[in-house]
Amino acid sequence: MTSLSLPRILVPATLLLLLILLGNLIPVVHSQQQQRQQQPQQQYTQELTQTQLEEILNSMSLSDKIHHMAQIDFSLLFTNDKIDHEKIEYYFGKLGIGSLLIVPYKQEYLTASSYRSIMLAIQNVTQIYHRPPVLPGIDSVHGANYINGAILFPQPINIASTWEEGNARSMASFGARETLAAGIPWMFSPIVGLGMEPSWSRIYETFGEDPYLVGVFARAVVEGIQQRGVAACGKHFVGYSVPRNGHDRSPSWVPTRHLYQYFVRPWRQVIDYGNVFAVMESYTEYDGVPNVAYRNSLVKLLRQDLGFEGVVITDYQEIENLIGFHKVALDYDEAVKMTLLEGSVDMSMIPFNVEGWSNSMNHNWNDASIQNVVTKRMDDSVRRILQLKNKLGMFHTDLKDDEEEKDEIGKVGSKGRRAVALDIARESIILTKNEGGTLPLHNSNRKKSKVHVTGPTCDSLSYQSGGWTIEWQGATSDNFFQYGQTVLDAALGQSQWDVTSSCGVDILGDVCDGQENQENVSQQRLGADYIVVCIGEENYTEKPGDIRDLHLPQGQRDFVKQLKNESNAKIIVVYFGGRPRLLGDVVDNADSILMAFLPGPDAGQAVVEIITGDQNPSGRLPITYPKYQDGGGIPYWHTVSDQCTESNNPHEPMPHWIYTPYEVQWPFGYGLSYTSFQYTNLQVDAKTLSYSLPWSHDGKNSRNSIKVSIDVQNTGSRQSFETIMFFLFVENRHVTPEYKQLLGYKRRKIDPGQTITQEFEVTTNMLRHVGPHDDTHDILQMGQKFRVGVGATTDCRRMEANGSCTEMLTLEFHDKSQDIYDPSCEAACVLLETNGCLTIHKLSANDCYSMCRSSHSPTDTVSLGWGWNYVNCIETILLDKTRSNDSKCYNVDNMCRNVFASTATSSDHEEDTSIMDESKTRPEDTKYTKSSAETVLMAILAGFVGALIIIYPFYRNAKGKSSNKTKGRDHIAFSPISRNEMNMELEII
């Protein structure tokens, strides 16, 4: 009975003490709040600490957090086509909306100065209402393409066609500077998707079809943007770029193995090395579940596997699309719930239904069964949004006082930046045919060359710039452009040309209305030495750009044929378009073809300079250009088993029995020049590539890389750039290998007659691939044979390489401490070592690997060690950033399997309390051997603290509801701005 007397006495005493303390707590808290409200407003002068950000987060009400996670459309701020300051005050002051999507309002093509004035007005409102700053974002895809007067760079497909990542960095950097001059520090760029579906309406927004090339260029864009203090936003996560039928927003069918093998690789570049600040999820699905509410995509893959810690934003209206478009949610409440519980979205691009968003978020928060989860999700998201704004300096940068950025307004659209864009355009144009050396055009000293310029894209700045130019679907008129030269404009400026022109056919292939006198036009064509015919596509992007037939309009193809038949002139075809339309007999009827894609407003000058020879073409295809509608041979890295059949006689009916690679119009990496190159003297410094485990000390005795070198000679008479490409040809692999795969490249300038030696290092990591026994992890296959081929058109499988393929090389395991390579054991031990779990068990990584290997069951023919299921289990725990680091290793042993149980003895538990015993109780639970009285006291103390934790939020919530919501935030406010000052700023718009 004596042992029970202590708690009987202490319980009522503790309750009394609790009431006394609570009575004292309330006035103290009230006094502290009053004191905080009476403090002068704080002006931040530098980046905030995490503690300060947490204070801001804790000061926000439920409504504040809900609206801070919302992004609204720019058009909501207009009334009668004018900016409405009352709406600015309502959305950003009273509601506290966290972000603004900048899109062109009708045909209002605003300047940087005008945008900046609007952003300043918004900033002033947030300061008056003591709100965190509003983060505006914009689709600056190829420069600041929505800002009047800004430089319009070539589209991303053109940037990739230069095969010079420095061009991507320059485009991004200048675009960021001109976007930031407008007061907008967030750019929705780059696209990190693989442009593998030729019909897709966003091919031109990609950097091509190769995972490595896309990763290199996307990373360069991220670096170019973020080094200017602007946030990049990689898009669209993930698999969006290969809609099954080529129609935008249609489902993508991507096997998990292919997802990790190809589509995730460029994302690793922008997240691991580029440190991209934000990611936009996609409109679509790759595995039957819309990405915006798919745990495997946004939680497991993005947050855990890739370790992304930045802001995730939805694409346009995508949460609401779960209801009407995807049909996976009955109403907005369910759509929001799915997004909160299954995804990791931080910000919703609403963009209009603010009330619906707010009501549904409140509805889910009030659901007691999920309130804790929703609360944590909201706090995590708002925290990430605040952290992003802090990185961008938005808490301590005042648009009004930022002299450096105001100075940038005067530099928007400068001649120097235009010159950079023009240089990139020149380097991006690809010469794909040049029969008989038609180009460059040779002028006689005695007479001018007669040149006839015609075709639907020959006199259009808009058609040579594409979508996302001035307006979403592209400029509707050339009058919106501040500068530029069409092909016709540039041709008319050539003093050595006698230029005539005609329309010919329109963009749909129909004969032009109001055509000039047909007899005169016919005579001009008949008398021409050269006919430059510009063909291509109309402008588009996204869903409005869907097509059912990849062929170029029949009327355009017939027009080229007509010109060929009617005239003895050399036919020079220039193609402007965002995707590789099938050209059919245009290729046969043309003497030369320039694949220009979408170089921008100054494309006319770039094209004509190449035609005259003032510029030597150096562009190379970043995609495979198809020849047939079936898309065979695309992407170029298709599996070796993906083949076609043919007959020796093209007129012989089926069946055909000869297996052959697909025929394409032009292969990936293809491009001609006005000079020629010869590849010789291919060398390797070893025939065996050896691999040692990451922790092994045996690496110095192994060859973990092979150096490949080749001599490249310019055998022509002109200086030129040559892009030297290195490809991998895998001979055998348990997962069907690709036909070939780009390992790397180098763009070199070579003088006439000069020979340069280009070296390239092949490492073991370049042979990693997703294996046959698990569809998410990279492995190596020992004994694998492979070749390295050099040159865009090199085919080491058909041995048509003319000395540009190495002999067969081999990958082998070379580790004296281990006999066999097991990728699952390697993956498990790397994870356990990286997260400190092996240290707890007093094991080395090599010990871990040996134990894993020794656990192999003779009857298990799939896994040699603990297996991939174990790896996946410990990944779920160790890569989960929501778990505390202190408990992760314990949870691995408790929830997966205690593979080290036999290493822990009873004496170990007495000496090291961090090791879990075999009964799976926490070691710290067995550490203490205190008296029962002390135990009771500790329990009471714990109960007392728990009571305080429970009661205090109720008090704080009640207090918050009774106080003015604008109070209590003075510690996050900027300098005070009066309502008159705010109206003055609005008047200048």
Side-chain angles (χ1 to χ4, degrees):
M1 296 298 294
T2 305
S3 62
L4 296 177
S5 61
L6 183 60
R8 284 180 175 177
I9 296 172
L10 285 176
V11 168
T14 302
L15 291 175
L16 180 61
L17 177 63
L18 177 63
L19 291 173
I20 295 171
L21 288 174
L22 283 177
N24 291 327
L25 176 66
I26 292 175
V28 167
V29 171
H30 180 68
S31 174
Q32 287 178 345
Q33 286 198 348
Q34 283 186 329
Q35 182 180 4
R36 184 176 65 181
Q37 292 171 8
Q38 294 169 1
Q39 288 176 349
Q41 296 180 9
Q42 181 175 350
Q43 175 73 47
Y44 293 120
T45 59
Q46 59 186 1
E47 187 172 306
L48 274 62
T49 64
Q50 188 58 43
T51 300
Q52 289 173 306
L53 291 176
E54 291 298 325
E55 290 176 357
I56 295 174
L57 175 63
N58 293 333
S59 75
M60 298 173 74
S61 67
L62 175 63
S63 175
D64 293 339
K65 294 174 183 178
I66 289 172
H67 290 109
H68 203 71
M69 294 170 64
Q71 184 181 74
I72 62 171
D73 191 283
F74 188 51
S75 63
L76 286 181
L77 307 185
F78 286 79
T79 300
N80 297 325
D81 297 338
K82 293 182 179 180
I83 284 289
D84 188 335
H85 71 274
E86 291 184 356
K87 288 186 174 180
I88 289 178
E89 183 176 2
Y90 172 71
Y91 286 115
F92 303 113
K94 295 180 179 178
L95 294 185
I97 294 293
S99 183
L100 177 66
L101 173 64
I102 305 296
V103 291
Y105 177 71
K106 295 185 177 180
Q107 291 190 332
E108 290 291 328
Y109 188 28
L110 301 180
T111 63
S113 180
S114 295
Y115 274 125
R116 190 178 182 85
S117 296
I118 297 170
M119 298 309 113
L120 179 57
I122 293 171
Q123 175 187 273
N124 291 345
V125 166
T126 61
Q127 292 174 353
I128 291 171
Y129 281 82
H130 302 166
R131 298 282 188 190
V134 174
L135 176 58
I138 191 170
D139 283 291
S140 289
V141 177
H142 59 121
N145 43 262
Y146 279 167
I147 296 174
N148 195 348
I151 298 301
L152 296 165
F153 281 78
Q155 294 279 3
I157 194 71
N158 286 77
I159 302 293
S161 297
T162 69
W163 287 69
E164 175 53 70
E165 59 266 31
N167 288 332
R169 195 171 288 105
S170 293
M171 179 268 291
S173 178
F174 285 120
R177 290 176 67 177
E178 300 198 335
T179 301
L180 191 58
I184 305 169
W186 194 11
M187 292 167 60
F188 300 138
S189 179
I191 277 189
V192 194
L194 306 180
M196 298 163 45
E197 172 47 65
S199 296
W200 188 44
S201 58
R202 307 190 75 169
I203 281 286
Y204 68 91
E205 297 179 55
T206 75
F207 295 109
E209 68 187 37
D210 180 79
Y212 174 75
L213 188 70
V214 170
V216 167
F217 275 80
R219 174 184 172 183
V221 169
V222 170
E223 292 170 347
I225 291 173
Q226 294 186 171
Q227 71 182 4
R228 294 296 179 181
V230 177
C233 181
K235 58 184 186 182
H236 307 81
F237 198 84
V238 59
Y240 169 52
S241 59
V242 282
R244 185 179 61 85
N245 55 16
H247 294 174
D248 187 53
R249 305 191 190 186
S250 296
S252 300
W253 290 3
V254 183
T256 303
R257 175 171 285 102
H258 289 184
L259 184 76
Y260 278 79
Q261 177 72 36
Y262 308 115
F263 293 85
V264 171
R265 292 188 185 275
W267 282 101
R268 292 191 190 279
Q269 286 273 353
V270 300
I271 292 174
D272 290 350
Y273 304 108
N275 190 30
V276 67
F277 288 170
V279 165
M280 182 184 292
E281 62 81 39
S282 72
Y283 285 123
T284 188
E285 63 201 50
Y286 66 83
D287 192 24
V289 181
N291 267 312
V292 72
Y294 192 26
R295 176 171 292 273
N296 281 357
S297 175
L298 295 187
V299 178
K300 183 187 184 303
L301 176 52
L302 180 60
R303 295 295 190 185
Q304 294 182 7
D305 292 358
L306 293 176
F308 180 66
E309 299 180 349
V311 169
V312 174
I313 184 172
T314 73
D315 210 330
Y316 202 79
Q317 203 171 341
E318 187 56 14
I319 293 180
E320 198 165 349
N321 285 345
L322 293 175
I323 309 164
F325 184 70
H326 297 292
K327 297 290 185 181
V328 297
L330 285 174
D331 52 30
Y332 211 158
D333 289 346
E334 187 178 16
V336 169
K337 180 178 181 179
M338 292 174 67
T339 306
L340 288 171
L341 300 187
E342 298 295 333
S344 68
V345 165
D346 301 309
M347 181 175 288
S348 173
M349 195 181 289
I350 295 180
F352 300 109
N353 190 1
V354 177
E355 184 178 2
W357 164 257
S358 178
N359 290 341
S360 292
M361 287 289 286
N362 272 290
H363 173 84
N364 280 281
W365 186 84
N366 285 312
D367 183 343
S369 66
I370 60 172
Q371 187 176 85
N372 289 340
V373 176
V374 172
T375 299
K376 186 177 187 311
R377 277 281 286 111
M378 290 172 59
D379 284 350
D380 288 344
S381 291
V382 174
R383 180 180 294 108
R384 284 192 281 256
I385 295 168
L386 293 173
Q387 287 171 341
L388 175 58
K389 294 177 178 181
N390 192 39
K391 285 180 182 178
L392 300 177
M394 298 189 71
F395 284 98
H396 64 272
T397 301
D398 195 319
L399 289 173
K400 180 185 292 184
D401 299 328
D402 193 340
E403 295 299 327
E404 181 179 348
E405 291 306 324
K406 285 195 291 186
D407 183 58
E408 281 289 322
I409 292 178
K411 298 176 182 178
V412 171
S414 68
K415 291 181 179 179
R417 295 176 184 179
R418 179 179 175 184
V420 172
L422 175 58
D423 279 340
I424 296 175
R426 290 166 176 145
E427 295 176 8
S428 74
I429 295 171
I430 306 158
L431 178 64
T432 58
K433 183 178 181 180
N434 196 25
E435 190 171 301
T438 298
L439 297 180
L441 190 154
H442 299 287
N443 287 313
S444 169
N445 292 328
R446 298 181 180 178
K447 65 175 184 178
K448 294 182 177 182
S449 296
K450 294 183 178 179
V451 179
H452 187 78
V453 181
T454 187
T457 60
C458 75
D459 195 24
S460 171
L461 297 176
S462 180
Y463 287 154
Q464 62 195 35
S465 301
W468 299 106
T469 303
I470 299 173
E471 297 181 53
W472 177 40
Q473 295 297 317
T476 55
S477 168
D478 282 3
N479 293 332
F480 286 111
F481 290 85
Q482 299 296 309
Y483 69 92
Q485 275 194 321
T486 66
V487 173
L488 179 57
D489 291 335
L492 290 169
Q494 293 297 309
S495 60
Q496 296 299 310
W497 289 4
D498 182 4
V499 178
T500 58
S501 66
S502 63
C503 173
V505 296
D506 64 21
I507 201 70
L508 298 178
D510 299 324
V511 176
C512 292
D513 294 332
Q515 180 65 275
E516 300 92 341
N517 183 285
Q518 287 296 323
E519 183 176 348
N520 289 342
V521 170
S522 296
Q523 289 299 318
Q524 291 169 358
R525 294 172 183 168
L526 284 172
D529 300 311
Y530 301 91
I531 296 178
V532 179
V533 52
C534 301
I535 58 177
E537 297 184 288
E538 59 268 54
N539 294 332
Y540 56 82
T541 190
E542 298 192 30
K543 195 67 179 173
D546 282 355
I547 56 174
R548 293 190 176 95
D549 187 352
L550 191 57
H551 285 92
L552 191 72
Q554 185 69 49
Q556 291 195 47
R557 289 179 278 147
D558 290 344
F559 180 56
V560 176
K561 184 176 183 179
Q562 175 189 341
L563 295 173
K564 182 69 173 179
N565 293 336
E566 288 183 354
S567 172
N568 291 323
K570 297 290 186 180
I571 305 298
I572 302 166
V573 170
V574 181
Y575 175 78
F576 291 112
R579 56 191 151 202
R581 300 299 287 263
L582 300 179
L583 300 178
D585 58 5
V586 168
V587 178
D588 296 328
N589 290 319
D591 294 286
S592 294
I593 299 177
L594 290 173
M595 191 58 51
F597 290 123
L598 298 169
D602 276 331
Q605 181 178 344
V607 165
V608 169
E609 287 177 349
I610 289 175
I611 291 175
T612 62
D614 290 341
Q615 293 290 327
N616 192 350
S618 62
R620 301 291 183 265
L621 284 170
I623 58 173
T624 302
Y625 204 103
K627 188 172 185 178
Y628 300 108
Q629 186 79 31
D630 68 352
I634 299 174
Y636 82 91
W637 45 262
H638 60 83
T639 58
V640 293
S641 55
D642 191 0
Q643 301 181 46
C644 191
T645 59
E646 65 180 12
S647 170
N648 288 326
N649 182 357
H651 301 292
E652 182 180 348
M654 290 186 290
H656 298 156
W657 301 102
I658 303 174
Y659 281 79
T660 181
Y662 286 102
E663 184 181 3
V664 299
Q665 193 69 68
W666 298 294
F668 172 84
Y670 182 77
L672 302 174
S673 173
Y674 292 156
T675 191
S676 55
F677 298 95
Q678 184 176 13
Y679 286 49
T680 59
N681 194 30
L682 179 64
Q683 301 280 341
V684 294
D685 67 348
K687 296 181 181 180
T688 301
L689 188 60
S690 301
Y691 181 69
S692 300
L693 294 167
W695 53 82
S696 173
H697 299 293
D698 199 37
K700 62 182 180 180
N701 299 317
S702 63
R703 292 298 302 264
N704 53 20
S705 67
I706 294 176
K707 185 180 294 183
V708 180
S709 64
I710 194 164
D711 292 343
V712 182
Q713 182 182 15
N714 183 342
T715 56
S717 59
R718 298 190 56 156
Q719 184 189 74
S720 182
F721 283 98
E722 172 69 344
T723 302
I724 306 163
M725 307 173 196
F726 295 83
F727 290 92
L728 174 68
F729 293 82
V730 174
E731 183 66 18
N732 65 296
R733 200 174 69 189
H734 294 163
V735 175
T736 310
E738 301 82 9
Y739 195 89
K740 67 177 184 177
Q741 193 169 16
L742 183 69
L743 292 176
Y745 63 90
K746 185 67 177 179
R747 187 171 181 263
R748 298 285 299 272
K749 182 187 288 186
I750 309 176
D751 293 327
Q754 181 186 8
T755 298
I756 59 102
T757 299
Q758 182 61 50
E759 295 182 344
F760 184 79
E761 190 173 44
V762 180
T763 66
T764 52
N765 280 337
M766 293 178 179
L767 298 181
R768 287 192 178 272
H769 59 281
V770 179
H773 301 137
D774 175 82
D775 55 9
T776 62
H777 293 89
D778 284 345
I779 70 165
L780 291 170
Q781 180 179 317
M782 300 307 154
Q784 179 177 299
K785 305 288 186 180
F786 63 96
R787 286 188 172 92
V788 176
V790 189
T793 58
T794 294
D795 189 345
C796 297
R797 299 194 182 279
R798 306 184 80 180
M799 296 311 292
E800 298 173 353
N802 298 322
S804 296
C805 289
T806 66
E807 56 189 306
M808 199 69 74
L809 308 174
T810 305
L811 172 66
E812 67 175 21
F813 186 54
H814 188 282
D815 196 311
K816 291 181 179 179
S817 64
Q818 302 293 340
D819 56 346
I820 295 177
Y821 172 71
D822 182 353
S824 66
C825 288
E826 177 187 39
C829 293
V830 167
L831 273 167
L832 293 169
E833 182 186 43
T834 303
N835 288 275
C837 299
L838 296 185
T839 301
I840 292 175
H841 288 281
K842 299 180 181 179
L843 295 171
S844 69
N846 208 50
D847 294 334
C848 172
Y849 188 88
S850 297
M851 293 179 67
C852 180
R853 284 283 299 112
S854 65
S855 68
H856 168 57
S857 170
T859 60
D860 186 354
T861 59
V862 175
S863 176
L864 299 178
W866 296 322
W868 286 111
N869 284 341
Y870 176 74
V871 173
N872 289 324
C873 182
I874 65 175
E875 271 186 339
T876 301
I877 296 170
L878 297 178
L879 300 182
D880 185 356
K881 291 182 172 56
T882 65
R883 299 176 186 266
S884 68
N885 291 329
D886 294 339
S887 66
K888 282 183 178 181
C889 296
Y890 163 77
N891 287 331
V892 163
D893 290 344
N894 193 39
M895 301 172 66
C896 297
R897 189 182 356 154
N898 189 355
V899 295
F900 305 122
S902 61
T903 68
T905 65
S906 57
S907 60
D908 290 332
H909 287 288
E910 292 174 1
E911 295 174 5
D912 186 350
T913 62
S914 63
I915 300 177
M916 187 189 73
D917 63 23
E918 294 184 11
S919 63
K920 293 186 177 180
T921 58
R922 284 184 182 269
E924 51 266 38
D925 294 340
T926 63
K927 178 178 180 181
Y928 300 103
T929 55
K930 307 291 184 181
S931 68
S932 59
E934 289 175 309
T935 303
V936 171
L937 283 172
M938 290 175 63
I940 293 173
L941 181 61
F944 171 66
V945 173
L948 287 178
I949 293 173
I950 293 171
I951 295 171
Y952 179 66
F954 285 99
Y955 161 75
R956 182 178 175 187
N957 188 48
K959 182 68 179 174
K961 288 181 179 179
S962 64
S963 62
N964 189 306
K965 69 176 182 179
T966 63
K967 294 183 179 180
R969 291 199 193 91
D970 294 341
H971 65 297
I972 65 167
F974 297 86
S975 55
I977 303 293
S978 70
R979 186 62 54 85
N980 290 334
E981 286 178 288
M982 179 182 72
N983 292 336
M984 286 175 59
E985 295 293 346
L986 290 168
E987 288 174 2
I988 68 173
I989 299 172

